[in-house]
Amino acid sequence: MNLKHIEAFRAVMLAGSMTAAAKELFTSQPNISRLITQLERETGLLLFQRSGVRLIPTSEGNAFFREVERAYVGLQGLSNAAAQIKNLGSGRLRIAAMPSAGLTLVPHVIKRFQALRPEVTVSLHVNTSGTINHWTSSQFCDLGVAVYRSEASTCEVEMLSEVAAVCVMPAGHRLAKKRVLKAEDFQGEPFISLCHGDGTRAQMDEAFDRVGVERVLAIEAQYSAICCEMVRCGMGVTLAHPIVARDFAGPEVEIRPFKPSVMFPTYLLFPPHQPRDRLTLEFVDLLRQEHNELLENLEKPRRASRR
DNA sequence: GATGTCGAAAGCAAGCAGTC
DNA sequence: GACTGCTTGCTTTCGACATC
């Protein structure tokens, strides 16, 4: 039994004769006759009573027709689903982001995206860059935002940006007297560091080791935002992504540039061997716009303070 | 990738049965 | 007997599959 058998049966039931059904389906009457015979043979049902030139549906035929109509509602649903997929892909967008992006940048992008595409469901998953590499490689998510790309990752990668880390310290801290901080200034300073294994941790350590500076590494945290929160509590100083640091700037926290530059790269990760759908590309466009605007806003106060 | 073979699907034509 | 509708046999077309 295939779709043609069902189509022929349904057409005969609706049109009232094989001849009319054949016209409906743009085929020949003998073809319809054979399809109905095959359907009866395969189902073991007598679908029509041949009474002279008239075809009269049997009770079995009527019962089968009700099931066929129910199945057609499902087929119509498939048709609608196909149209939606054509327009919107799966109709769902799964984003995975590292905390520095997932807690600040991405929510703003989702807000803009929802204004354009209210019919699309967006899910945001925040985790470490390593996990984001894994999620994107395995196609669990449509887009990943991470600070580094894993060696083992098969993702397609594009760089979003690379910005210099800034120093975050409690208000009134002795280092806040300087306009720009150097690695040497951190000698003996309680430092809240990212955990080993984080993409930028090694860079930070190298910047201090190069000039022989020993910090007091008493506290480690997995995410920059947590480091900044601990700074606000007066537990030490840290280096952080400027977009993350911006959210903590205020009466309790001060931010200064740091030299030599420790760069925070941000990568966009795409699932491998998979064409990028329209929704993902639209989201990436908005992500780039929002990111550029955030960076421009970060620059403005610095320019103003130089005047 | 090109070619040959096989089987399923579909059309044409003829025949059969019922109705008017 | 003419018309209508269904069934059946024959033929053609097309796609799947195997082989080279």
Side-chain angles (χ1 to χ4, degrees):
Chain A
M1 191 196 318
N2 59 36
L3 198 57
K4 284 207 171 297
H5 291 116
I6 302 301
E7 268 183 333
F9 170 68
R10 183 168 181 268
V12 172
M13 287 295 286
L14 293 174
S17 74
M18 294 190 180
T19 304
K23 283 178 184 164
E24 281 287 316
L25 297 179
F26 303 102
T27 186
S28 64
Q29 178 274 319
N31 190 30
I32 298 294
S33 175
R34 261 189 289 256
L35 287 168
I36 296 299
T37 303
Q38 288 167 1
L39 183 60
E40 287 180 321
R41 192 167 57 235
E42 289 188 26
T43 58
L45 301 175
L46 179 66
L47 299 171
F48 296 100
Q49 189 73 51
R50 277 77 169 171
S51 171
V53 295
R54 290 271 140 234
L55 276 182
I56 301 168
T58 62
S59 58
E60 290 179 339
N62 280 318
F64 190 63
F65 180 63
R66 284 193 289 275
E67 294 302 318
V68 166
E69 283 300 90
R70 202 176 299 168
Y72 255 73
V73 172
L75 282 177
Q76 190 60 44
L78 283 178
S79 177
N80 294 340
Q84 191 182 28
I85 289 167
K86 188 178 176 187
N87 289 327
L88 303 172
S90 62
R92 186 181 182 91
L93 196 57
R94 286 159 300 185
I95 312 294
M98 57 186 174
S100 61
L103 299 173
T104 53
L105 170 65
V106 179
H108 290 104
V109 181
I110 291 175
K111 184 183 176 186
R112 291 171 74 161
F113 185 77
Q114 287 268 286
L116 290 174
R117 293 285 198 181
E119 71 279 23
V120 176
T121 303
V122 181
S123 57
L124 172 61
H125 307 265
V126 176
N127 214 308
T128 61
S129 290
T131 302
I132 289 163
N133 271 265
H134 174 65
W135 281 349
T136 314
S137 293
S138 64
Q139 305 189 351
F140 167 70
C141 58
D142 304 298
L143 174 67
V145 184
V147 75
Y148 71 92
R149 63 168 303 184
S150 154
E151 291 286 321
S153 170
T154 55
C155 302
E156 293 176 17
V157 180
E158 287 180 16
M159 177 164 271
L160 178 65
S161 70
E162 193 170 44
V163 293
V166 293
C167 179
V168 185
M169 69 199 85
H173 193 274
R174 68 170 184 91
L175 294 178
K177 292 172 187 165
K178 297 195 170 190
R179 292 188 64 186
V180 176
L181 295 174
K182 296 176 184 174
E184 294 90 327
D185 299 325
F186 288 76
Q187 179 64 41
E189 197 64 44
F191 191 90
I192 302 164
S193 183
L194 289 168
C195 294
H196 281 288
D198 184 276
T200 48
R201 166 68 189 260
Q203 275 193 73
M204 289 184 195
D205 288 350
E206 192 191 335
F208 291 105
D209 291 347
R210 208 180 301 134
V211 291
V213 167
E214 288 190 15
R215 299 156 291 163
V216 179
L217 295 174
I219 304 171
E220 290 183 349
Q222 200 174 8
Y223 306 139
S224 271
I226 298 173
C227 294
C228 291
E229 180 58 29
M230 287 194 274
V231 168
R232 178 152 56 191
C233 295
M235 297 159 72
V237 300
T238 192
L239 294 181
H241 193 290
I243 290 179
V244 178
R246 186 201 64 154
D247 283 352
F248 289 84
E252 297 171 291
V253 171
E254 295 198 50
I255 297 168
R256 295 288 183 275
F258 177 79
K259 297 290 177 185
S261 296
V262 172
M263 303 308 289
F264 270 96
T266 303
Y267 296 103
L268 299 179
L269 309 179
F270 300 91
H273 320 302
Q274 193 174 301
R276 293 170 198 175
D277 66 35
R278 197 181 305 173
L279 292 182
T280 306
L281 294 175
E282 285 178 8
F283 192 88
V284 167
D285 279 346
L286 291 176
L287 184 65
R288 288 188 189 282
Q289 282 176 33
E290 180 74 25
H291 189 262
N292 290 340
E293 287 168 17
L294 272 174
L295 291 180
E296 282 171 17
N297 288 336
L298 288 174
E299 289 293 316
K300 279 174 189 169
R302 205 192 298 171
R303 283 191 201 120
S305 67
R306 280 181 193 145
R307 282 183 198 138

